[in-house]
Amino acid sequence: MSSDGLHAYAAIPDNPENSAPNGAVFTFSISSTTGTAGAQVPVPGARRLAVSNDGKSLLVFADNNNSVYYINLAGTTFTAVAIPGFNQPYGAIFSSDNTTAYVLNCGTECSGTAAPSVQPITFSGTTPTAGTALTVPGATKGYLNGSTLYVAGNDLTKTPGQQGTLTAVNVSNMTVAATAAIADGLHTKMSFFNNKLWIGSLNCTTTNCLSIFDTSSSTVTIGTTTGNVTGIEPAPVSKLMFVVQGGQINQYDPDALTATVPYQVSGQAWDVKLLDQ
């Protein structure tokens, strides 16, 4: 979704394309009464997306591909332009002024040839430019808080079962500020609430796939709930954190970090979104 809620984008990795490899990005225009389909932009194996805060730039990521695809959403026609020079790029986080996107190179964690890293893309000219990569222990999910980019991933140089890692990167000078051990697995969810970073992963070793990093004390708490974390959503007014884990909706107290199960779901819950408090 775009930040203004008026546009949506979907990556379809196996979408058939004429005279091109499978994969496309679909755009949608959304209003209060109707939703209309827009462009179908061919992108080989398109799987993950990152949209800028101003809604003018879209980055597309595919598995087993060392290029990032750029779509200029401010243009009259949408075309995906490949930006090479990455190492299994998995996703990206845009700066608040939209002049930089920090690409998370999954690297060896995704069978790449180099260590995981954070690599900036600048948007100062007509064509986005890839910058110098900063090596980090692991990188599949990130959250930017001021000048600190928190990056979660797996450090494959450590003992299996102890590879989960969170790295704090100072993006003002592109240096690693600190690291902390978290639950392992494929990190796909991250949310900031109550001065804590909530990090969820899939297929972690211990099944306790929720890690909570307190940014004030730099301590990590592993959640008591079990299973894959597939959804995280804060409720600021009621001061609650909802975590979908193992097919169940858990309600966390963000101070005590204790969980209850307030709702019974028929079938397997997968995600949760807050529409109205």
Side-chain angles (χ1 to χ4, degrees):
M1 294 290 298
S2 61
S3 59
D4 60 9
L6 299 179
H7 302 277
Y9 308 94
I12 315 294
D14 297 322
N15 192 75
E17 298 294 322
N18 292 327
S19 303
N22 288 355
V25 172
F26 285 71
T27 71
F28 301 88
S29 214
I30 299 171
S31 72
S32 59
T33 56
T34 61
T36 58
Q40 176 178 326
V41 187
V43 180
R47 188 171 291 275
R48 294 172 297 277
L49 306 172
V51 63
S52 60
N53 307 294
D54 59 6
K56 295 180 179 179
S57 300
L58 184 69
L59 298 179
V60 189
F61 306 87
D63 292 340
N64 302 314
N65 193 322
N66 287 327
S67 291
V68 173
Y69 293 86
Y70 164 68
I71 300 175
N72 179 10
L73 299 176
T76 54
T77 59
F78 295 159
T79 303
V81 177
I83 307 173
F86 296 90
N87 181 35
Q88 297 293 315
Y90 201 85
I93 301 93
F94 278 86
S95 61
S96 59
D97 61 5
N98 305 297
T99 60
T100 306
Y102 300 98
V103 174
L104 307 180
N105 285 314
C106 186
T108 50
E109 187 178 352
C110 297
S111 302
T113 57
S117 61
V118 175
Q119 187 170 358
I121 294 180
T122 57
F123 294 84
S124 56
T126 55
T127 303
T129 304
T132 303
L134 171 70
T135 299
V136 294
T140 57
K141 190 65 178 176
Y143 184 91
L144 184 61
N145 184 28
S147 61
T148 302
L149 174 64
Y150 294 99
V151 182
N154 290 299
D155 184 351
L156 299 188
T157 67
K158 293 186 176 181
T159 304
Q162 302 175 14
Q163 296 176 341
T165 182
L166 179 69
T167 305
V169 175
N170 184 340
V171 295
S172 61
N173 56 16
M174 289 303 290
T175 58
V176 173
T179 60
I182 59 175
D184 61 1
L186 177 61
H187 302 89
T188 61
K189 297 294 179 181
M190 191 177 290
S191 180
F192 187 79
F193 181 56
N194 199 44
N195 293 319
K196 299 177 181 69
L197 200 64
W198 301 67
I199 309 157
S201 63
L202 307 175
N203 303 318
C204 64
T205 303
T206 65
T207 72
N208 296 99
C209 297
L210 176 67
S211 304
I212 307 164
F213 177 74
D214 191 317
T215 58
S216 300
S217 61
S218 296
T219 56
V220 176
T221 299
I222 303 299
T224 56
T225 48
T226 59
N228 290 334
V229 177
T230 56
I232 300 177
E233 184 76 353
V237 171
S238 54
K239 199 177 181 182
L240 295 169
M241 176 63 89
F242 292 97
V243 177
V244 179
Q245 188 171 10
Q248 178 62 59
I249 297 179
N250 300 286
Q251 179 179 287
Y252 268 85
D253 180 324
D255 291 322
L257 300 183
T258 54
T260 58
V261 181
Y263 309 109
Q264 296 298 325
V265 177
S266 178
Q268 293 289 306
W270 186 260
D271 203 359
V272 57
K273 297 298 180 187
L274 182 67
L275 299 182
D276 189 352
Q277 298 193 71

